[in-house]
Amino acid sequence: MTTLTTELLFRTLRPSCFFKGQTTNFHGITDHSSQAGPGIVFFALPSKQRGPEGFIDLALHKGVTAIVAPEAVVIKKQTIFSHITFFGVKDIRLALAETAHLLFPKTPDFMAGITGTNGKTSIANFTHQLWQSLGKKSISLGTLGLKGMDYFPLSPTHTTPEPLDLYPLLDEAAGHGITHCALEASSHGIHQRRLDGIKFNVGVFSNFSQDHLDYHLNLRTYWLAKVRLFKELIAHQGTAISNVDLPHAYDLAEACRKNSLTHWTYGIDDGDVKVNKITCLPEGQKVEATFLGQPLTFSFPLIGRFQLENLIASLLIVHASGVPLKELIPHTPNITPVEGRLEYVGTTPSGGSIYIDYAHTPGALETALKDLRAHTKKSLFVVFGCGGDRDQSKRSQMGHIAHTLADQVIITDDNPRQENPDHIRNDILKGAPDAHSIPGRDEAISVAIDKLKEGDVLVIAGKGHERFQVVGTRSLPFNDKHAALRKLKQLKAS
C-alpha cells in the first residue's frame, strides 16, 4: 500500500483550505470513527443524525491525527485542535474515493458498470457466468455480494460498496489475476461518487422507472444520477449499451457523443440488437435475433422477456470485451437463474406453480406479472408489500399494477423498518381495493399457496434473495423461498 504523507494527500485532495498539524506521515484511512486513531486519516462524511460535522468529535476522542472534512467544518474545528492536520475539501465523498483509489490503484483489466432501476443483478451475474464459461477469470459484484472470489470476505450492505470496501477488493482481485469485472452501479453509488476512481470500459443502462425518490426527490435527479455513469465514468472511446425503450434518450445519446462512446441499443422490438422471434420451450426460450446486423439463434433456460433483455445486455458486454458473438451462442443454454429473480420454487400437489422475484418497484412488479401471465393457464396470484421509510408514492402505484395485472392479490409486510406496517399496507390498498391484507408474511405466503389450483401461478414479490425481514431496528431471519418450501413440504406430507 502507498505510504501516506501530508504532501501526497495534499496533491491528491487539492484542498480548498489546509492546516498542518504535528503528524506528517500516516498509515491508513477510515470513514468510521470506531476505526480512528493515531496515524489514521479520518474522512468526516456528513450524517443525517449529526449533520455536516458527522463523527469528528468521536474520531478526535480516539486520537486521530488528520481529518478530511467539508471546508466550513474544518475552519470551525482547526482553531480548537491546532495539533491536528485538517484538509478542507469541497466534495468529501469524491475526496474519499480518490484517496481510496490512490491506496488501492489496481482494477481488473476490463470493467463493466451496470446501472438501471431493475435488472442490474441479473446482467452482472449472467455476464460473469459467460466470462467464466469462456475461461476468463472474472467476478461480479452487487446486490448478491461478490461472486468469483470466495476467499475475499465481503458482507454486502449496499448494491455498490463504499470506497473503502470497493477499492481494496478490486485491487486484491487484480492481484490474484482477475481480468474481468461486472459491477452494479446504483444511483446512490454513482451520486455519492463511490466509483469515481474507476474508468469503466463499458457501461449498461438496463431500464428506468420510479424508485429511490426518498433519496433523489424527483425522477429527473434520479435519471441524471444514472446518466453520470456515461458522462464521466466510462473511459473515453469506451462502449455504452442501453435499452432502446429508455425515456429521455437524448440525454444519454448526448453523453455518449461527448465522451466519444460506441453506443449500442437493444430491445425486443427495436435497437441495434432486436428480437425477431421467441419460441417458449418447456425448459426456457429459443430466440431468433439480429445482433448488430448479424442473425443469431440461441436458447437459454429462463422464462420472461425481461430475462431475455438482461441476457442480451450481458452478451453485448462480453462481445465488447473482445469475444465474437458466434463464440458466445454455445454458452447461453448453460446460463443459470439468479437467486430471487423470477426464480421457480416448486409446484403444489394441486398443480399450481410458485415463483419468487425481487420486484420492489412499480416497473419491476409490472414486468414480472406480465412475464408470468404468458405462463399462466388459469389464475395469476401475487403476494407483495412495500418497504418502510422509503418512497411512499410508489405504494398505491404498485397496488394498482397488481390489481390490474393479477387475478388474486395479497398485500403483506415487506421490510416495514421503523414505519407502522398497517399504514404501509393501507397505502398499497388505495391502489388495490379488492386485495386481501395479511400482515404476517409467512401467513400470507401460506394462504396464497393453499389457494392454488392446477394451472395457477403465484409470484411472491419484493424480497427475492433476502435472508432477513427488517422490523423496527431488528433484522429477523426470513426468506421467501424457504417459507414457500416449508409450505410445500407440509402439503406434500398431508
Side-chain angles (χ1 to χ4, degrees):
M1 188 174 74
T2 302
T3 301
L4 278 176
T5 64
T6 301
E7 291 75 15
L8 180 57
L9 279 168
F10 189 91
R11 291 198 303 271
T12 302
L13 296 171
R14 305 174 300 279
S16 53
C17 65
F18 169 69
F19 300 92
K20 189 174 182 178
Q22 296 173 358
T23 305
T24 57
N25 293 305
F26 312 97
H27 57 78
I29 67 173
T30 186
D31 59 351
H32 287 280
S33 59
S34 61
Q35 298 170 1
I40 297 294
V41 181
F42 177 66
F43 283 76
L45 301 182
S47 73
K48 289 182 179 179
Q49 293 78 18
R50 293 174 174 263
E53 295 187 16
F55 292 82
I56 284 182
D57 290 338
L58 289 176
L60 288 167
H61 181 72
K62 296 288 289 288
V64 73
T65 47
I67 290 174
V68 184
E71 180 181 358
V73 175
V74 165
I75 292 173
K76 176 182 177 182
K77 290 289 184 181
Q78 65 83 26
T79 57
I80 306 172
F81 302 96
S82 59
H83 64 290
I84 303 294
T85 297
F86 281 96
F87 299 88
V89 296
K90 295 186 182 301
D91 191 326
I92 183 66
R93 292 191 178 277
L94 175 61
L96 177 60
E98 290 183 336
T99 309
H101 179 60
L102 171 72
L103 296 177
F104 303 97
K106 292 184 292 185
T107 65
D109 296 334
F110 191 91
M111 293 291 300
I114 302 149
T115 198
T117 306
N118 304 300
K120 296 185 296 293
T121 300
S122 293
I123 293 171
N125 193 282
F126 293 165
T127 301
H128 171 53
Q129 289 186 50
L130 289 167
W131 275 330
Q132 284 203 315
S133 67
L134 291 160
K136 312 289 186 185
K137 291 186 175 181
S138 71
I139 57 173
S140 64
L141 180 60
T143 305
L144 297 182
L146 175 64
K147 304 295 182 183
M149 264 175 62
D150 295 338
Y151 53 84
F152 191 98
L154 178 70
S155 300
T157 55
H158 301 295
T159 296
T160 303
E162 294 284 357
L164 294 184
D165 294 320
L166 177 61
Y167 291 93
L169 186 157
L170 294 176
D171 191 88
E172 176 92 357
H176 279 78
I178 301 295
T179 56
H180 294 68
C181 172
L183 190 156
E184 295 181 47
S186 69
S187 60
H188 290 69
I190 298 170
H191 182 256
Q192 294 177 5
R193 296 185 176 271
R194 299 175 202 165
L195 304 171
D196 275 44
I198 301 170
K199 278 299 180 186
F200 291 96
N201 304 86
V202 61
V204 175
F205 202 143
S206 61
N207 53 63
F208 183 79
S209 61
Q210 181 175 329
D211 199 15
H212 303 306
L213 296 193
D214 54 301
Y215 178 85
H216 294 288
L217 303 183
N218 60 67
L219 285 171
R220 182 62 179 168
T221 54
Y222 177 39
W223 165 263
L224 291 175
K226 291 186 174 295
V227 170
R228 185 172 172 267
L229 173 66
F230 303 87
K231 281 185 174 181
E232 300 179 28
L233 302 181
I234 301 177
H236 184 68
Q237 296 185 335
T239 301
I241 299 166
S242 67
N243 193 309
V244 74
D245 294 326
L246 286 173
H248 320 299
Y250 174 80
D251 289 337
L252 183 59
E254 185 66 7
C256 293
R257 185 189 65 80
K258 287 184 176 180
N259 203 12
S260 299
L261 304 181
T262 298
H263 187 190
W264 296 332
T265 60
Y266 67 94
I268 299 296
D269 302 313
D270 198 9
D272 296 311
V273 178
K274 61 181 179 180
V275 174
N276 304 317
K277 183 179 180 182
I278 301 173
T279 303
C280 291
L281 305 173
E283 66 278 11
Q285 303 178 66
K286 178 182 177 182
V287 180
E288 297 173 33
T290 303
F291 274 72
L292 308 175
Q294 182 178 352
L296 292 173
T297 300
F298 60 95
S299 61
F300 70 110
L302 303 175
I303 67 169
R305 290 162 63 97
F306 186 56
Q307 291 290 49
L308 172 56
E309 288 189 332
N310 292 336
L311 178 60
I312 289 171
S314 299
L315 291 169
L316 287 174
I317 293 173
V318 179
H319 178 54
S321 72
V323 181
L325 286 165
K326 284 191 174 180
E327 292 184 18
L328 294 172
I329 300 309
H331 300 280
T332 59
N334 300 320
I335 291 289
T336 57
V338 179
E339 182 183 7
R341 271 61 179 177
L342 217 56
E343 181 183 358
Y344 172 71
V345 176
T347 300
T348 66
S350 62
S353 300
I354 304 167
Y355 292 83
I356 59 170
D357 193 77
Y358 190 49
H360 59 283
T361 67
L365 184 62
E366 179 177 358
T367 297
L369 291 173
K370 284 182 176 178
D371 280 348
L372 285 171
R373 174 61 73 183
H375 296 266
T376 303
K377 294 179 180 178
K378 292 186 179 177
S379 294
L380 177 59
F381 290 68
V382 61
V383 172
F384 81 102
C386 289
D389 301 329
R390 296 294 187 269
D391 178 12
Q392 297 182 14
S393 66
K394 70 180 183 182
R395 295 172 184 171
S396 62
Q397 290 183 44
M398 293 179 69
H400 178 71
I401 287 166
H403 173 75
T404 303
L405 298 179
D407 301 299
Q408 295 283 334
V409 180
I410 296 177
I411 306 302
T412 189
D413 294 340
D414 189 280
N415 292 318
R417 299 183 177 89
Q418 298 189 63
E419 193 173 346
N420 186 326
D422 293 339
H423 294 167
I424 299 172
R425 293 193 308 278
N426 288 336
D427 285 345
I428 301 170
L429 286 166
K430 292 174 184 176
D434 297 330
H436 302 284
S437 179
I438 302 176
R441 195 170 182 92
D442 190 66
E443 181 186 356
I445 291 170
S446 177
V447 168
I449 291 175
D450 275 333
K451 290 176 176 287
L452 295 180
K453 297 181 174 58
E454 184 175 359
D456 293 343
V457 170
L458 163 67
V459 59
I460 305 163
K463 292 180 61 62
H465 64 284
E466 293 179 352
R467 296 288 193 269
F468 294 92
Q469 185 175 32
V470 185
V471 181
T473 58
R474 297 183 300 162
S475 293
L476 307 177
F478 189 85
N479 177 261
D480 285 351
K481 183 177 180 179
H482 294 167
L485 288 173
R486 282 196 303 271
K487 181 63 178 180
L488 284 175
K489 186 177 180 180
Q490 292 173 9
L491 290 176
K492 290 174 181 177
S494 61

